[in-house]
Amino acid sequence: MTVVIDTVSAAMSAEAPAEGLQPRMGPQSAMNRARHKGDAKGGLYKPRTPIYPKLVHGQWRRIKWALLIAMLGIYYVTPWLRWARPAGLPQQAVLVDFEGRRFYFFFLQLWPQEVYFITGLLVIAALALFLVTALFGRLWCGYACPQTVWTDLYIYIERAFEGDRNARMRLDAAPWSLDKAWRKIGKHLVWLGVAFGTGGAWIFYFRDAPTLLREFWTGQAPITSYVSCFSLTATTYVFAGYMREQVCTYMCPWPRIQGAMLDDHSLQVTYRYDRGEPRGAHKKDASWKGRGDCVDCHACVVACPMGIDIRNGSQLECINCGLCIDACDEIMDKVGRPRALIAFDTDAAVLDRKEGRKPVYKLLRPRTIYYGVALALVCGLMLWGLANRSLLDVHALRDRNPEFVRLHDGAIRNAYTLKFDNKGFQPLPVEIAFAGVPNAQLSAPGASQGDGRELRATVQPNEVLALRVFVTARPQDLASSSLPARFEAQAGPIRSVAKTAFLSGAANPR
């Protein structure tokens, strides 16, 4: 742990302190200084100060409402969407089937060995987040982060029971009464209902939703379903109902990581101090000459769900939700000044205007080009992988004990276990051939045989077919004791190859 030491000498610590100041204790770490400072106020950590954001109306608030409804709708409705698949397969459109070891997404079905597609999606999400942050600041935090979305929903419920900012503050300060009790109890009951619905919707992504719903209420669901549901219920209730902005400020690492993504040309929610300063109260019909447009009304502060003053500049807590923009625009309309005193702007543009230069906005910068190229590359690789994804995979496992068998006529036989993966939703009739050994003969119990050079089998949808195959070759056809070979599986236009070897030891009489 890094410790910062006060450089004040021990001799100076013995001097009498000035009136009203604490005596110096000699060299001490920053941690100890913070602890002593906290002790004077009752503890090391400051208790959370409740934030009562005021409801505002405007463009950014409408966008947040639209995205909130859309994202919550997608989250709650998606597990109930149906998708027609062959009998015996899940009919749920989106399902993470741990029991069957499959991931279903509408027409797409991913197997465990295709986890690289999930990795690719995560990389795409990360690069997209980096690019959006470099261009427009923390839009993810302000509009799409689950913590923001559910906190917004909880504040809406709180406002429905307790009123807007001033009414909630008065209610909290008032003594307990019947009116206060029913409002508080009602709010928390609805909060718990939303939290329980959140946890319930989550578990439906991992098991057939109608079946699990019935099992859940009859006590027949897996124990993991109950644990996951109640855990997510608790975290949703606590995070969105009580911790709120503290999750963003203290628990989430992204506010600190974003510093590496932003520069002076990143668009962020910005107070245009070049236009707003010097600020101060303004009387009706008074002149605006010699002063800024900010009337110091604190409308932007009381609208902020993070409880910060955007006029202090870019801050770690700011989530770029834009609600302060709507609040300030309302005030500008009332005092007859142009809107956008607070707006999405760049630090460089504000500085240019302050110094009399025309602002220049640079969306194309080295970092945005890098993020954009990397994002396009990964997206291209993902699309190529999906487009060339084979619905049939074949794997060959050669017997190791014994490695080969010499038959009574001198022929050499190797035994293999072939495994065919049908990743599609239709049966696949497969023709199997063996290449690498001239005149090799194939045989397999349970498979139809042609002229001995190929086999035929049918792989059922979403299943793995294990086929025991024997390959027999004459000694005179074997050029060495170990020959590279391969099994070729053909199912219509789909072709899959499994590399292997044919061993004969010292069997070659030549």
Side-chain angles (χ1 to χ4, degrees), residues 50 76 129 178 192 203 210 214 237 241 323 333 396 421 428 456:
Y76 288 116
L129 183 60
L178 182 60
L192 285 171
I203 63 176
R214 182 173 59 254
Y237 178 73
L323 296 182
D333 290 343
D421 303 339
L428 290 179
R456 295 183 179 87

Side-chain angles (χ1 to χ4, degrees), residues 90 102 112 134 158 198 213-214 219 246 252 281 292 297 308 335 368 385 427 429 435 456 467 477 480 482 497:
R102 301 287 186 273
E158 185 174 58
T198 302
L213 179 63
R214 182 173 59 254
Q246 291 185 310
C252 180
C297 61
I308 64 171
V335 298
T368 60
R456 295 183 179 87
L467 190 64
D477 294 327
S480 68
S482 177
V497 175

Side-chain angles (χ1 to χ4, degrees), residues 279-339:
R279 72 184 77 158
H282 182 265
K283 295 181 180 180
K284 187 177 181 180
D285 298 327
S287 173
W288 290 91
K289 186 177 180 180
R291 55 155 297 145
D293 285 352
C294 179
V295 296
D296 206 18
C297 61
H298 289 83
C300 56
V301 179
V302 299
C304 179
M306 301 298 292
I308 64 171
D309 189 341
I310 192 63
R311 297 173 299 176
N312 293 333
S314 179
Q315 298 160 66
L316 178 145
E317 296 87 353
C318 180
I319 59 174
N320 272 20
C321 64
L323 296 182
C324 55
I325 298 177
D326 290 338
C328 185
D329 284 348
E330 289 185 20
I331 299 300
M332 291 296 102
D333 290 343
K334 292 178 180 178
V335 298
R337 301 299 293 171
R339 288 188 164 200

Side-chain angles (χ1 to χ4, degrees), residues 150-159 161-162 168 184-198 233 236-238 240-244:
W150 265 270
T151 298
D152 240 7
L153 177 60
Y154 270 47
I155 292 176
Y156 173 81
I157 296 170
E158 185 174 58
R159 190 177 288 122
F161 277 93
E162 301 180 3
R168 296 201 305 277
K184 292 290 185 181
I185 294 173
K187 176 187 73 173
H188 285 278
L189 288 177
V190 176
W191 277 3
L192 285 171
V194 171
F196 182 73
T198 302
T233 297
T236 303
Y237 178 73
V238 173
Y242 289 96
M243 298 185 68
R244 294 186 177 177

